[in-house]
């Protein structure tokens, strides 16, 4: 299996190379040259399998000959061993034909653990075999950073630097990033918002001298291996609701478009998905784009669902690549225009996007009301991100079962949940002491040179 860049101007790579690289050298994102398919029988055969067994069947065709079957099974087993729920991704029912896929039973209580725990094990295996070291730099709006730190802490061939927007993540998200004591973990609080963090990360990748000098590797949701890990739970949940004999729809609380893009891949693999609904908070660039065809940056307004506070949605580029008939030059042109603040999606590409995706937006008031209402209606406590999903899904309920993805545990956002429903969700017992632990964090300016110097200095000290 070969991987190609969405901007058509970078070397083709194997799965392992694409995973270790992250962003392509032409600024694009890696995607498989073609999407392997599962037959209806293959999909039906997932019924009754454990999450790990299903993960092996779904991901195996994408990794090519990077690992033997036994090696890959071992990697998957280690990745999900730290989850606190034996089903890994359990489904609960909210209402007639509306289900919630709980993706928050991993070590940092957000769905990012599904991808990050796997990528940690994949990196460890590959780097040990190649006898190499890498520097991982990630940008986070809150959950990616803690998930990355939890996945890579203590690994001898990796340093992990996480950039987060100073003052714009929840206390628990910050504590999860700043309390690990491992020497290879570096939490950096950047003076700016999440888009600034993400822009600095891109700049580092485009500075080839720095990139090669520190052996930079990316684990943001642009990393193909992360998208791949997320494909699995679309299949397992759909199969438990009767797929492939019955269609299923999904609503996905969306920021960087990684999670919902994984749903699109599941559909391309052959899973009969009726609708894929993009749910945004008040930072609704994707919803506006789906409505108008114009992708226009407007700046971020902080919300109670901070992991979706985003204006440049990186993985959307992968959907655009397909919508433009896999024309890398056309995508490169759009991204060029985006540097000036906006681009217009062609009519043909919009039609393709609308074939696959619907969209909706939830305001802050609607999100709060949804948290309160669901608790009253069925006792389920939603985090604000999941509540955005449930609210948007409401407009799409019908005969086809709807699965809304619950992307974080409510206890990760206790202030917002308490304000909405009057009771404070408790952290799971194994994390209860986290708020009392000492923090280790470095404040950094929104400046590329200063950041690169700091990273080089830290690595030299190790
Ligand atoms: C990251 C995140 C999202 C958004 O996921 P994307 O893949 O970036 O679209 C939604 N909810 C939570 C809790 C998250 O951590």
């Amino acid at each position: 299996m070969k991987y190609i860049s969405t901007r058509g101007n970078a070397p083709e790579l194997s799965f392992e190379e694409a995973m270790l690289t992250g962003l392509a050298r032409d600024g694009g994102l890696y995607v498989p040259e073609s999407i392997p398919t599962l037959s209806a029988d293959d999909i039906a055969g997932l019924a009754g399998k454990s999450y790990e067994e299903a993960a092996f069947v779904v991901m195996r065709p994408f990794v090519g000959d990077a690992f033997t079957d036994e090696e890959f099974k071992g990697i998957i087993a280690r990745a999900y061993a730290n989850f606190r729920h034996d089903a890994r991704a359990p489904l609960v029912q909210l209402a007639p034909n509306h289900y919630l896929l709980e993706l928050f039973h991993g070590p940092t209580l957000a769905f990012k653990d599904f991808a990050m725990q796997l990528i940690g094990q994949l990196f460890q295996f590959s780097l040990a075999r190649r006898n190499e070291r890498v520097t991982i730099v990630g940008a986070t709006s809150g959950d990616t950073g803690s998930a990355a730190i939890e996945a890579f802490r203590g690994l001898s061939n990796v340093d992990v630097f996480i950039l987060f927007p100073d003052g714009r993540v929840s206390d628990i998200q910050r504590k999860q990033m700043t309390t690990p004591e491992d020497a290879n973990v570096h939490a950096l609080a950047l003076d700016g918002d999440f888009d600034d963090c993400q822009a600095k990360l891109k700049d580092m990748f485009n500075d080839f001298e720095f990139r090669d000098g520190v052996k930079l590797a990316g684990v943001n949701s642009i990393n193909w291996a992360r998208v791949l890990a997320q494909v699995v739970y679309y299949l397992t949940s759909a199969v438990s609701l009767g797929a492939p004999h019955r269609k299923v729809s999904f609503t996905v609380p969306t920021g960087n478009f990684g999670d919902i893009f994984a749903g699109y891949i599941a559909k391309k693999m052959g899973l009969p998905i009726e609708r894929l609904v993009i749910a945004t908070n008040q930072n609704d660039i994707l919803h506006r784009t789906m409505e108008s065809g114009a992708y226009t940056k407007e700046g971020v307004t902080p919300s109670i669902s901070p992991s979706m506070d985003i204006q440049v949605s990186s993985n959307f580029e992968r959907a655009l690549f397909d919508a433009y008939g896999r024309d890398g030059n056309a995508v490169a042109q759009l991204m060029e225009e985006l540097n000036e603040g906006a681009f217009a999606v062609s009519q043909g590409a919009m039609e393709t996007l609308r074939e696959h995706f619907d969209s909706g937006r939830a305001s802050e008031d609607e999100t709060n009301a949804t948290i309160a209402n669901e608790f009253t209606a069925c006792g389920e406590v939603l985090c604000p991100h999941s509540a955005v999903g449930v609210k948007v899904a409401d407009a799409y309920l019908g005969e086809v079962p709807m699965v809304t993805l619950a992307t974080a545990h409510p206890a990760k956002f206790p202030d917002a949940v308490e304000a909405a429903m009057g009771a404070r969700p408790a952290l799971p017992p194994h994390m209860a002491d986290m708020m009392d632990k000492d923090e280790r964090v470095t404040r950094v300016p929104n400046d590329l040179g200063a950041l690169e110097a700091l990273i080089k200095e830290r690595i030299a000290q190790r």
Side-chain angles (χ1 to χ4, degrees), residues 109-112 140-144 173 194 221 226 230 233 252-261 279 286 305-310 313-315 383-386 405-409 412-413:
L109 308 182
F111 85 94
K112 304 260 178 359
T140 187
S141 53
D143 293 325
T144 303
Q173 287 178 320
F194 172 63
S221 63
R226 281 192 50 193
Q230 293 166 179
Y233 48 70
V252 187
T254 296
N256 239 336
F257 209 79
D259 205 2
I260 194 161
F261 189 75
L286 289 169
S305 43
S307 302
M308 294 156 65
D309 286 349
I310 200 171
S313 192
S314 308
N315 277 293
C383 92
H385 310 77
S386 312
L405 275 52
T407 50
H409 193 289
K412 264 194 122 161
F413 304 93

Side-chain angles (χ1 to χ4, degrees), residues 10-11 25 41 49 61 116 231 352 361 378 408 462:
R25 288 182 98 86
D41 282 350
K49 284 199 169 25
M116 211 60 90
V231 175
T352 308
R361 162 195 205 275
C378 67
R462 300 235 316 136

Side-chain angles (χ1 to χ4, degrees), residues 7 17 25 44 56 96 108 120 143 148 161 175 195 200 214 229-230 235 242 247 323 325 327-328 349-350 355 458:
R7 299 196 194 171
E17 291 164 335
R25 288 182 98 86
F56 176 78
T108 70
D143 293 325
F161 292 83
K175 284 273 183 182
D195 287 324
K200 285 293 157 296
V214 303
Q230 293 166 179
L235 280 126
K247 286 192 165 193
D327 177 351
M350 260 341 283
E355 248 171 58
R458 287 285 178 88

Side-chain angles (χ1 to χ4, degrees), residues 66-342:
F67 314 102
T68 67
D69 286 359
E70 286 320 303
E71 286 168 349
F72 194 41
K73 283 179 185 169
I75 287 168
I76 293 170
R78 291 192 292 282
Y80 298 111
N82 292 331
F83 277 53
R84 299 262 158 180
H85 196 300
D86 283 348
R88 311 308 183 216
L91 264 183
V92 301
Q93 189 161 9
L94 296 178
N97 255 352
H98 194 183
Y99 298 83
L100 192 72
L101 183 59
E102 291 187 347
L103 299 175
F104 51 69
H105 296 284
T108 70
L109 308 182
F111 85 94
K112 304 260 178 359
D113 288 325
F114 276 89
M116 211 60 90
Q117 288 290 316
L118 182 78
I119 230 184
Q121 294 303 325
L122 287 167
F123 265 65
Q124 178 165 10
F125 190 95
S126 291
L127 292 171
R129 176 165 70 183
R130 294 164 163 240
N131 197 19
E132 279 176 23
R133 271 191 79 80
V134 295
T135 302
I136 288 174
V137 184
T140 187
S141 53
D143 293 325
T144 303
S146 52
I149 286 170
E150 201 54 49
F152 288 99
R153 60 189 284 185
L155 298 187
S156 53
N157 38 12
V158 176
D159 268 288
V160 54
F161 292 83
I162 298 297
L163 291 167
F164 67 88
D166 200 1
R168 300 207 191 187
V169 299
S170 81
D171 285 348
I172 292 179
Q173 287 178 320
R174 195 190 66 249
K175 284 273 183 182
Q176 283 182 324
M177 293 188 276
T178 58
T179 59
E181 290 166 7
D182 311 78
N184 72 329
V185 169
H186 314 268
L188 308 178
L190 184 120
D191 184 15
D193 63 23
F194 172 63
D195 287 324
D196 294 325
C197 294
Q198 193 158 247
K200 285 293 157 296
L201 181 69
K202 282 212 166 187
D203 292 346
M204 280 184 230
F205 271 95
N206 288 327
D207 177 350
F208 292 148
E209 200 184 321
F210 175 76
R211 175 175 179 164
D212 296 337
V214 303
K215 288 220 163 41
L216 199 60
V219 296
N220 261 78
S221 63
I222 52 173
N223 193 304
W224 171 258
R226 281 192 50 193
V227 173
L228 178 59
Q230 293 166 179
V231 175
V232 175
Y233 48 70
Y234 286 90
L235 280 126
T236 57
S237 59
V239 165
S240 53
L241 291 173
H245 315 296
R246 193 180 179 210
K247 286 192 165 193
V248 179
S249 292
F250 290 91
T251 300
V252 187
T254 296
N256 239 336
F257 209 79
D259 205 2
I260 194 161
F261 189 75
Y264 167 81
I265 296 294
K267 185 175 174 187
K268 290 254 145 179
M269 288 182 80
L271 184 67
I273 295 180
E274 173 89 353
R275 288 171 180 278
L276 278 168
V277 184
I278 302 163
T280 74
N281 66 20
Q282 60 193 4
N283 296 297
D284 60 352
I285 187 165
L286 289 169
H287 178 52
R288 284 187 281 113
T289 303
M290 291 305 294
E291 303 247 285
S292 70
Y295 189 98
T296 312
K297 287 200 263 186
E298 279 189 352
V300 175
T301 312
S303 78
I304 56 171
S305 43
S307 302
M308 294 156 65
D309 286 349
I310 200 171
Q311 281 299 347
V312 179
S313 192
S314 308
N315 277 293
F316 194 55
E317 180 168 339
R318 287 188 161 115
L320 287 170
F321 183 60
D322 275 9
Y324 276 85
R326 307 207 122 199
D327 177 351
N329 289 329
V331 173
Q333 175 72 39
L334 296 179
M335 295 303 138
E336 195 68 26
E337 289 169 31
L338 185 60
N339 287 335
E340 311 298 313

